[in-house]
């Protein structure tokens, strides 16, 4: 579904809250969005953003990811994905007879992405003196952050010389009117593409897409899929074919985008990253990151910019992780036969993975832990801790997990430590390397929160928050 379709669907189901008060993308939109998410599961559309023309949409996936993906339930999304995963699974050959395979391919053709040769006539192009990235709202959650942040845009990078394109979700900092910094994790596919561009002495073409069809976001996390496979999976899980447009820069973007910044990365052109807030409460920066030099902005008339906030539980990013965890298990079930369920811990910025396993044999636990540590980096390259628990442990109950570790882990024999070998772009304060922890038990509790202490309400945002609560309370009665 396009952003317009999404807003209509949410509105029809009473899940859209339009906020017409003037608000700032600095502090106010993040604070309001997170506070409102603690009480309601509405998508939030900020129609009057201080000093900006585009509107801002957030909380699209939070507690309603099935609605955003045109499904009746999350289970239906997984069932849809399971129909196509075996056909694009790179780990093993497809064990099907030819007629069955042809039938499957015929079915997939209904969702294979289309390509358009021209962009919409309603798109406005800003370039040259008119190009100004500060016209686009970007968020600051805290005054300790150095630059406004595009928290989860789609990044499409293309290297023409090898005809390779990657689509992913990464943060982007807006430095000035024509310059951005792209956060690139080590050993990610986009880093390998930048390194290949450097070897060939060619710039990397980049599109930063703001406000794409919702179904593209979950597959964009799955680094084991190619660009086309991600768009195919996006079509399958939403039962809506994804159309792309080939721009004159020879880069393909979703046709129904709201705003796209076209630029390039010149290999070797890096600057220290500004400090940013992470879901675990750390504010980090200083690592050299590639510079995106903006060449043009393509913007719909009256555009809507979509962002997630930064929060370990009450955010779209956290909700997306809950879905892609299931897609991960669906893809790697043959390599992880003893894993029943798993979750990435948002309170640790999704670097710790807790897995429920159905074995207690030491050899199998070690193999499972090592495989998980390697494979989960395909979702989050910063994964550095694996915790294995038994079938009776509720992996979504953090205090229960803590008690399980305290009561069942012997530090001398139940923790495997793997030394840190490379320079980390998102380091642990202790520099401890990676851990695999073996634990089994069952207790109860709740998860702590630390991002809230950095959020900064203003008197205006607090007033607006009170007015919205009163309005929704009146509507509910």
């Amino acid at each position: 579904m396009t952003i317009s379709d999404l807003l209509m669907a949410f509105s029809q189901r009473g899940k859209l809250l339009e906020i017409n008060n003037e608000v700032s993308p600095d502090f106010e939109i993040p604070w309001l969005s997170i506070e409102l998410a603690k009480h309601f599961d509405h998508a939030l559309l900020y129609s009057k953003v201080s000093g900006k023309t585009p509107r801002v949409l957030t909380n699209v996936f939070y507690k309603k990811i099935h609605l955003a993906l045109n499904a009746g339930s999350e289970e239906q999304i997984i069932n849809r994905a399971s129909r196509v995963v075996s056909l694009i699974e790179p780990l093993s050959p497809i064990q099907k007879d030819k007629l069955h395979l042809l039938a499957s391919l015929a079915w997939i053709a209904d969702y294979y992405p289309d390509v358009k040769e021209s962009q919409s006539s309603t798109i406005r192009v800003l370039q040259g003196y008119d190009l100004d990235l500060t016209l686009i709202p970007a968020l600051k959650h805290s005054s300790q952050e150095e630059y406004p942040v595009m928290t989860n845009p789609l990044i499409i990078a293309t290297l023409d010389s090898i005809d390779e394109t990657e689509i992913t979700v990464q943060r982007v900092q807006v430095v000035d009117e024509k310059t951005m910094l792209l956060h690139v994790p080590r050993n990610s596919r986009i880093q390998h593409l930048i390194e290949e561009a450097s070897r060939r002495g060619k710039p990397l073409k980049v599109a930063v897409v703001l406000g794409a069809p919702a179904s593209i976001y979950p597959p964009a996390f799955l680094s084991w899929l190619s660009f086309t496979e991600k768009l195919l999976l996006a079509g399958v899980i939403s039962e809506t074919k994804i159309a792309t447009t080939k721009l004159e820069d020879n880069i393909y973007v979703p046709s129904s985008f709201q705003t796209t910044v076209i630029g390039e990365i010149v290999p070797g052109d890096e600057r220290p990253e500004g400090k940013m807030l992470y879901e675990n409460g750390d504010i980090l920066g200083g690592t050299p990151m590639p510079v995106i030099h903006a060449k043009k902005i393509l913007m719909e008339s009256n555009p809507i910019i979509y962002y997630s906030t930064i929060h370990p539980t009450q955010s779209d990013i956290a909700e997306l992780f809950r879905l892609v965890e299931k897609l991960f298990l669906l893809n790697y079930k043959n390599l992880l036969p003893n894993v029943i369920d798993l979750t990435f811990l948002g309170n640790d910025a999704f670097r710790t993975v807790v897995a429920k396993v159905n074995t207690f044999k030491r050899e199998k636990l070690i193999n499972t832990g090592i495989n998980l540590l390697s494979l989960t980096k395909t979702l989050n390259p910063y994964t550095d801790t694996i915790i294995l628990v038994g079938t009776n442990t509720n992996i979504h109950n953090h205090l229960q997990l803590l008690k399980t570790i305290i009561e069942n882990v012997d530090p001398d024999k139940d923790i495997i430590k793997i030394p840190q070998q490379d320079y980390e772009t998102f380091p642990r304060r202790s520099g401890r390397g990676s851990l695999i922890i073996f634990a089994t038990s069952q207790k109860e509790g709740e998860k702590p929160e630390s991002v809230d202490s950095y959020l900064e309400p203003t008197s205006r945002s607090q007033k607006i928050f009170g007015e919205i609560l009163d309005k929704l309370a009146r509507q509910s009665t």
Side-chain angles (χ1 to χ4, degrees):
M1 290 192 286
T2 66
I3 292 293
S4 298
D5 295 334
L6 201 60
L7 293 179
M8 184 178 298
F10 286 157
S11 180
Q12 290 172 348
R13 291 168 174 79
K15 294 298 183 182
L16 177 65
L17 177 61
E18 186 167 359
I19 299 169
N20 295 314
N21 308 74
E22 181 178 344
V23 291
S24 171
D26 293 349
F27 321 136
E28 293 185 334
I29 288 179
W31 185 84
L32 277 167
S33 300
I34 291 169
E35 288 301 310
L36 287 168
K38 295 174 182 177
H39 299 82
F40 308 101
D41 60 357
H42 293 60
L44 304 175
L45 179 61
Y46 296 93
S47 298
K48 191 174 183 182
V49 181
S50 300
K52 315 289 182 182
T53 300
R55 296 168 288 170
V56 171
L57 177 67
T58 190
N59 290 9
V60 164
F61 297 101
Y62 180 65
K63 289 189 175 181
K64 53 188 175 301
I65 196 165
H66 62 288
L67 294 181
L69 299 182
N70 189 34
S73 65
E74 190 171 315
E75 182 181 2
Q76 186 178 26
I77 298 170
I78 300 302
N79 288 339
R80 291 172 178 174
S82 65
R83 299 174 64 191
V84 72
V85 162
S86 63
L87 297 176
I88 57 179
E89 165 60 64
L91 298 176
S92 60
I94 303 170
Q95 302 297 325
K96 297 182 184 293
D97 60 77
K98 291 183 178 180
L99 289 178
H100 193 148
L101 177 58
L102 289 173
S104 298
L105 294 177
W107 167 77
I108 281 181
D110 293 336
Y111 299 106
Y112 200 82
D114 285 333
V115 178
K116 298 180 179 179
E117 292 297 328
S118 60
Q119 62 198 39
S120 168
S121 59
T122 60
I123 294 293
R124 186 163 53 110
V125 180
L126 303 177
Q127 54 188 343
Y129 290 112
D130 294 328
L131 193 157
D132 185 354
L133 295 171
T134 64
L135 296 174
I136 303 173
L139 304 182
K140 269 191 174 183
H141 287 64
S142 166
S143 57
Q144 295 185 43
E145 293 185 295
E146 294 184 39
Y147 302 119
V149 180
M150 298 174 176
T151 52
N152 62 328
L154 289 176
I155 307 298
I156 301 173
T158 296
L159 185 58
D160 286 339
S161 57
I162 60 173
D163 193 26
E164 185 172 342
T165 297
E166 166 67 341
I167 181 169
T168 185
V169 175
Q170 294 296 341
R171 299 185 187 195
V172 172
Q173 294 180 315
V174 180
V175 177
D176 56 37
E177 292 85 350
K178 293 179 171 57
T179 309
M180 300 178 287
L181 289 175
L182 173 63
H183 183 84
V184 177
R186 292 181 65 85
N187 298 318
S188 61
R189 284 183 66 166
I190 197 164
Q191 185 204 28
H192 297 322
L193 211 52
I194 292 172
E195 291 173 349
E196 185 63 32
S198 178
R199 283 191 287 270
R200 294 172 180 270
K202 301 289 185 180
L204 188 67
K205 295 178 181 177
V206 177
V208 180
V209 182
L210 305 163
S215 61
I216 300 178
Y217 288 87
F221 281 84
L222 311 181
S223 67
W224 61 85
L225 298 181
S226 69
F227 175 75
T228 302
E229 289 169 345
K230 290 177 181 180
L231 295 183
L232 172 61
L233 182 58
V236 170
I237 62 176
S238 63
E239 294 191 338
T240 306
K241 181 179 287 194
I242 301 298
T244 63
T245 297
K246 183 180 179 182
L247 303 179
E248 60 185 41
D249 310 81
N250 201 32
I251 190 167
Y252 293 84
V253 299
S255 299
S256 56
F257 66 82
Q258 290 284 310
T259 297
T260 294
V261 181
I262 304 296
E264 68 177 17
I265 292 174
V266 178
D269 187 1
E270 298 179 335
R271 296 188 192 178
E273 189 173 47
K275 290 183 177 180
M276 288 191 293
L277 176 65
Y278 289 84
E279 286 85 355
N280 65 340
D282 282 346
I283 294 185
L284 299 173
T287 303
M289 290 292 169
V291 175
I292 300 178
H293 297 280
K295 301 299 182 183
K296 64 178 71 171
I297 300 173
L298 309 178
M299 187 177 289
E300 268 284 4
S301 58
N302 195 22
I304 296 173
I305 305 298
Y306 162 68
Y307 292 128
S308 171
T309 55
I310 300 301
H311 195 276
T313 55
Q314 282 130 6
S315 70
D316 281 350
I317 292 175
E319 197 73 27
L320 284 165
F321 259 96
R322 283 189 277 273
L323 176 62
V324 298
E325 290 162 0
K326 294 179 174 61
L327 296 175
F328 170 87
L329 276 182
L330 188 66
N331 186 69
Y332 288 118
K333 59 185 177 183
N334 292 332
L335 293 181
L336 300 167
N338 297 118
V339 177
I340 301 171
D341 195 7
L342 62 78
T343 186
F344 287 72
L345 298 186
N347 292 85
D348 193 37
F350 308 103
R351 292 182 295 182
T352 291
V353 176
V354 182
K356 183 184 295 189
V357 296
N358 60 7
T359 182
F360 301 101
K361 293 183 178 180
R362 186 76 176 182
E363 182 179 351
K364 288 186 176 181
L365 287 175
I366 293 173
N367 288 337
T368 298
I370 292 173
N371 285 341
L372 273 173
L373 185 60
S374 174
L375 294 173
T376 52
K377 290 181 183 291
T378 62
L379 283 184
N380 183 4
Y382 296 125
T383 301
D384 63 5
T385 303
I386 304 296
I387 303 174
L388 303 180
V389 300
T391 56
N392 291 329
T393 300
N394 181 354
I395 63 174
H396 303 287
N397 189 316
H398 290 197
L399 185 54
Q400 181 182 133
L401 176 62
L402 177 61
K403 290 183 178 180
T404 296
I405 293 172
I406 292 172
E407 294 176 1
N408 295 277
V409 174
D410 182 341
D412 294 327
K413 66 177 183 179
D414 292 332
I415 299 178
I416 296 177
K417 184 174 181 179
I418 301 172
Q420 178 177 307
Q421 296 181 352
D422 298 318
Y423 177 70
E424 294 288 338
T425 56
F426 185 17
R428 296 280 184 183
R429 291 171 181 167
S430 62
R432 61 164 173 76
S434 300
L435 300 178
I436 300 174
I437 301 171
F438 307 124
T440 56
S441 195
Q442 175 184 350
K443 305 295 172 190
E444 295 181 330
E446 60 185 26
K447 61 186 76 174
E449 295 168 0
S450 56
V451 167
D452 300 72
S453 61
Y454 288 94
L455 300 174
E456 301 180 22
T458 65
S459 56
R460 180 168 64 173
S461 64
Q462 289 177 314
K463 179 182 177 183
I464 294 170
F465 178 65
E467 292 171 353
I468 293 169
L469 288 181
D470 290 339
K471 176 182 176 182
L472 289 172
R474 290 194 299 270
Q475 290 178 351
S476 64
T477 56

